[in-house]
Amino acid sequence: MAAGGNPTAAGCLYVVATPIGHRDDLSQRAIATLRAVDVIACEDTRHSAVLLNGIGADGKRLALHDHNEDAASHGLIAQMLAGTRVALISDAGTPLVSDPGFRLVRAAAAAGVRVVPIPGPSALIAALSVAGLPTDRFSFEGFLPNRSGARRELLRGLRSDARTLVFYEARHRIVESLRDMRDELGAERAVVVARELTKTFETVLRGTLGEVLRSIESNPEQQLGEFVVMLAGIASVDHEQARLDEGARILKLLLAELPASRAVRLAAEISGAPKNALYKLVDG
Ligand code: SAM
């Protein structure tokens, strides 16, 4: 049987996607593979025990996470070269997508081990599929840096990106990150925030960064859970508004150092926003 078919073939590494919430999203092929393999490498063996016990997958379980990936990979590759069938899973969704596994897959491929995908859920694709933003081109940015300074710098670098931008975000930082996005990319930028996908409290909020941020700030329940934040690329933003947002941002910085007339002239020149529109912002 080919490595891509069922049942599993000897000596292969199967990269198996597991649910991001709803347990019925585990595919038939994922179940068959997890039942058939000899070893299951889990990001967290205790976390995955519920899922694996539930489907009667009784292969040997071992932990493979960011802190032991190189050492664990070494042993696994030797076993696979000797014919052992191995599956890799993460706590949720598709391994390697903001999850461990890339070093194992790279080393396995380099050693001549066949690596077989068992595709399925990923928060990235589930979120994009309901956002209603252009998906012909998008940039997956994963998690933003923890520190606000680094976060803002990264966002500034993405300001003129024409692609839809996708971020993963955790509950303790959702409000802070949305504030930084609004400040760096403008309150009028279209955003979609997908929360708790496939779970009981699934919510998809759509609007401008200003609107969606206000709605989440004023509703603590909307700050709970797991999030995917998707921003429209610059091409789908109103260019005039984008120039005005940029002008307003520059003006705010310059007003701290310069008289109003000079600050307005420079901000208009740098951003391309009309001077009269910027003058209106000076006292208001
Ligand atoms: N490998 C996973 C995947 O394929 O989606 C992602 C793992 S990453 C460590 C976890 C992050 O994914 C969360 O912080 C959140 O941003 C996003 N995520 C995972 N499950 C989600 C869900 N049900 N709804 C929204 N976002 C989710």
Side-chain angles (χ1 to χ4, degrees), residues 20-21 43 90 92-99 121-124 143 167-170 194-199 226-228:
I20 56 168
E43 182 180 2
S90 61
T94 301
L96 279 78
V97 180
S98 287
D99 266 340
S122 179
L124 162 67
F143 288 99
F167 304 88
Y168 278 169
E169 198 47 271
R195 181 178 82 96
E196 294 290 86
L197 291 171
T198 78
K199 304 185 201 175
E226 299 189 283
F227 301 84
V228 182

Side-chain angles (χ1 to χ4, degrees), residues 222-281:
Q222 286 296 327
Q223 299 169 22
L224 302 177
E226 299 189 283
F227 301 84
V228 182
V229 178
M230 292 157 287
L231 294 171
I234 191 80
S236 35
V237 168
D238 177 340
H239 286 285
E240 212 168 297
Q241 185 60 48
R243 276 197 291 273
L244 190 56
D245 286 340
E246 177 69 348
R249 193 186 70 80
I250 296 167
L251 181 64
K252 199 169 145 200
L253 295 173
L254 293 179
L255 280 173
E257 308 286 335
L258 298 173
S261 60
R262 246 184 113 203
V264 166
R265 191 171 52 75
L266 281 172
E269 208 168 296
I270 298 168
S271 65
K275 261 197 259 180
N276 58 354
L278 293 179
Y279 263 119
K280 286 188 195 148
L281 302 176

Side-chain angles (χ1 to χ4, degrees), residues 4-276:
N6 276 327
T8 51
C12 283
L13 172 61
Y14 291 88
V15 182
V16 183
T18 59
I20 56 168
H22 201 301
R23 62 178 189 185
D24 291 352
D25 290 337
L26 188 66
S27 75
Q28 291 298 318
R29 190 163 169 237
I31 295 171
T33 304
L34 291 170
R35 281 184 182 149
V37 291
D38 308 298
V39 174
I40 304 171
C42 312
E43 182 180 2
D44 178 340
T45 49
R46 271 195 307 184
H47 175 96
S48 294
V50 178
L51 177 133
L52 296 175
N53 294 342
I55 59 165
D58 52 14
K60 185 174 164 228
R61 297 167 199 175
L62 66 83
L64 184 130
H65 42 69
D66 284 336
H67 304 292
N68 76 345
E69 190 171 342
D70 283 329
S73 299
H74 201 70
L76 280 172
I77 288 165
Q79 290 182 56
M80 287 186 281
L81 290 173
T84 302
R85 295 160 303 176
V86 175
L88 169 69
I89 59 173
S90 61
D91 286 353
T94 301
L96 279 78
V97 180
S98 287
D99 266 340
F102 131 76
R103 283 173 291 182
L104 171 63
V105 168
R106 180 177 60 182
V113 170
R114 176 142 185 216
V115 184
V116 181
I118 309 292
S122 179
L124 162 67
I125 300 300
L128 276 174
S129 75
V130 294
L133 291 171
T135 49
D136 47 341
R137 295 180 69 213
F138 62 85
S139 175
F140 176 53
E141 298 293 326
F143 288 99
L144 281 164
N146 263 323
R147 286 183 31 256
S148 178
R151 198 156 62 224
R152 279 172 174 262
E153 196 181 323
L154 190 135
L155 289 167
R156 265 198 295 282
L158 294 170
R159 194 184 286 150
S160 5
D161 201 313
R163 298 167 296 179
T164 294
L165 303 170
V166 188
F167 304 88
Y168 278 169
E169 198 47 271
R171 61 186 286 182
H172 60 280
R173 254 192 8 200
I174 184 69
V175 170
E176 263 180 81
S177 287
L178 287 171
R179 281 186 190 140
D180 285 346
M181 288 175 186
R182 177 202 56 194
D183 294 348
E184 294 300 335
L185 299 156
E188 294 307 313
R189 179 78 65 120
V191 65
V192 181
V193 175
R195 181 178 82 96
E196 294 290 86
L197 291 171
T198 78
K199 304 185 201 175
T200 311
F201 297 106
E202 179 180 277
T203 325
V204 180
L205 296 177
R206 300 179 179 84
T208 65
L209 266 170
E211 289 163 352
V212 169
L213 175 59
R214 272 194 297 281
S215 148
I216 293 179
E217 273 173 336
S218 63
N219 185 351
E221 279 179 9
Q222 286 296 327
Q223 299 169 22
L224 302 177
E226 299 189 283
F227 301 84
V228 182
V229 178
M230 292 157 287
L231 294 171
I234 191 80
S236 35
V237 168
D238 177 340
H239 286 285
E240 212 168 297
Q241 185 60 48
R243 276 197 291 273
L244 190 56
D245 286 340
E246 177 69 348
R249 193 186 70 80
I250 296 167
L251 181 64
K252 199 169 145 200
L253 295 173
L254 293 179
L255 280 173
E257 308 286 335
L258 298 173
S261 60
R262 246 184 113 203
V264 166
R265 191 171 52 75
L266 281 172
E269 208 168 296
I270 298 168
S271 65
K275 261 197 259 180
N276 58 354

